[in-house]
Amino acid sequence: HYPLRRQRQMCIRDRDILQNIGFGFSIAFTWQNLICCFLGVLVGTLIGVLPGIGPSATMCLLLPSTYYLTPTSAIIMLAGVFYGAMYGGSTTSILVNIPGEAASVVTCLDGYQMARQGRAGPALGIAAFGSFIGGTLTVVGLMIAAPPLAKFALRFGPPEYFSLIFLSFSILTYLASGSILKAIMMAAAGAFLGSIGADFITGDLRFTYGSLTLFDGVGLIPVIMGLFGIAEVLENIEKKVEKREIINTKFRRLFPTLQDWRDSLASISRGTLIGFFLGILPGGGTIISSFASYGVEKRVSKHPELFGRGAIQGVAGPETANNAATSANFIPLMTLGIPANVVMAIILGALMIHGIRPGPMLIREQPELFWGVVTSMYIGNAMLLVLNLPLIGIWVHILSIPYRILFPLILLFCLIGVYSLNNNIWEIIIMIVFGVIGYLMRKFKYEAAPFIFALVLSPIMENAFRQSLLMSEGSFSIFFTHPISCALLITGFVLLSTQALPWFKRKPFVDEF
């Protein structure tokens, strides 16, 4: 066994991927990281099981606790919450016909029908095994793809980063589920919020109005906890509570038959590929992956009429795809510093809180973080497989917790979590204000994702833009004379144009609202 410093030096030289994997497991198997991984996947599964609470709000609640952890342990725990929630979301979809996670909406279509036919066990089993296979294989892809992509990203300067973020916003707008205009408005609002605070070049204060709290900008954590935690509670309070019919099943019936495996193996393989490639895209994520996988399975099936009536392929493909996407989301974050979705933006915020800026140099400067987190996903996926199957009975009982007990606890955790950051009462007020704003956004169908993306990425984009102009002495040609920057910029403009032109030909401007 090499000493840690010697292993770190060998990892930095990037001689052998097997040495890097061994180095990563030596980090992941420390008692602190194992506990953090277990707590992450356990909490994630619980959050996935409980309808109405997502990983975004949960990770915001856990962010204050990461101050007392090492950066590696903190990211291992937050990552476990993310992919653990994907596992747990399938349980409620199959047993209650209520998606615990937005990515599990598709699973309701066939999973619940299988449960009504007395096949809840195989549905839960194939969801768990498919999630394990998809998540594990995608971690392999992450280990293979991330180092060469990071080396390529070393060629990126300020012009390339500006163009890359512009392309990310273009793709995000392209993938917006609602109105394009509303998505652009939310991105603009987030960009404005990201400009508040001290100018990084001149030191001038912008839009602070003498407030000490705003000198460093609007805090990411209070904003996210308001938009996702408080808004979630406010939205669910007004919903009519319906009695839920829960279909129970026994542990011995959880294992799929040989015929189930024959029907599902191809779906699991396709779901892994779909989740991996869509998960890499900025704006792509678990929801898009699961819907795309379901569409592909129905199209390639010899019996598409069975879908929606209890086809096991309709459970295996989407559940594999959404778990594969969770691991793939880490590739653009770790190598380029660009979050693929809101959850990755929260993890980016956690890294920045610890003074770590993800990007091309992360693997070389923080190899213990990168390889420790990556190898912990193997361990976390194995833990989830062991946890999910035997604990189905416990999750079923947890589903019966009344919301009148659950939501006050969420509010309490939000208040304690935000105040513990800086012991600042004004950050609680910011959280409450954005909780009301988030509630109104949900009522009027404004998406939070473009807002959070812009809040996180707009300062980076502005810095890259101004640094580029300083390099070129004020000439905008620098964005087109650099080949990579030019290609990214043109691609972004093409995506915006193809999305905007049909909108202009469509209904009047006022109808968008």
Side-chain angles (χ1 to χ4, degrees), residues 226-274:
L227 288 177
F228 291 97
I230 304 296
E232 187 74 42
V233 173
L234 294 176
E235 184 184 32
N236 281 277
I237 284 175
E238 68 175 359
K239 288 183 178 178
K240 183 180 178 181
V241 180
E242 298 179 357
K243 188 175 180 181
R244 292 170 290 190
E245 178 189 359
I246 303 173
I247 299 175
N248 209 337
T249 187
K250 298 186 181 298
F251 174 69
R252 65 176 180 271
R253 297 177 183 172
L254 288 174
F255 294 95
T257 64
L258 286 176
Q259 185 59 45
D260 290 333
W261 278 109
R262 293 191 193 99
D263 294 337
S264 303
L265 280 176
S267 302
I268 291 172
S269 302
R270 286 188 290 265
T272 301
L273 293 174
I274 291 170

Side-chain angles (χ1 to χ4, degrees), residues 38 41 45 87 128-129 132 251 254-255 379-392 395:
F38 176 77
V41 298
T45 306
Y87 271 77
F129 284 113
F132 172 76
F251 174 69
L254 288 174
F255 294 95
I379 302 170
N381 276 287
M383 287 180 177
L384 282 167
L385 187 62
V386 174
L387 279 174
N388 270 267
L389 295 180
L391 297 183
I392 291 295
W395 302 140

Side-chain angles (χ1 to χ4, degrees), residues 336-397:
L336 301 173
I338 305 296
N341 51 42
V342 174
V343 176
M344 290 297 108
I346 296 172
I347 292 180
L348 174 61
L351 288 169
M352 295 174 72
I353 286 171
H354 285 276
I356 296 173
R357 172 73 184 275
M361 297 302 295
L362 178 70
I363 298 178
R364 289 186 174 273
E365 293 178 352
Q366 300 285 340
E368 62 275 6
L369 172 65
F370 176 80
W371 292 107
V373 170
V374 169
T375 51
S376 75
M377 293 181 186
Y378 286 112
I379 302 170
N381 276 287
M383 287 180 177
L384 282 167
L385 187 62
V386 174
L387 279 174
N388 270 267
L389 295 180
L391 297 183
I392 291 295
I394 296 177
W395 302 140
V396 168
H397 286 92

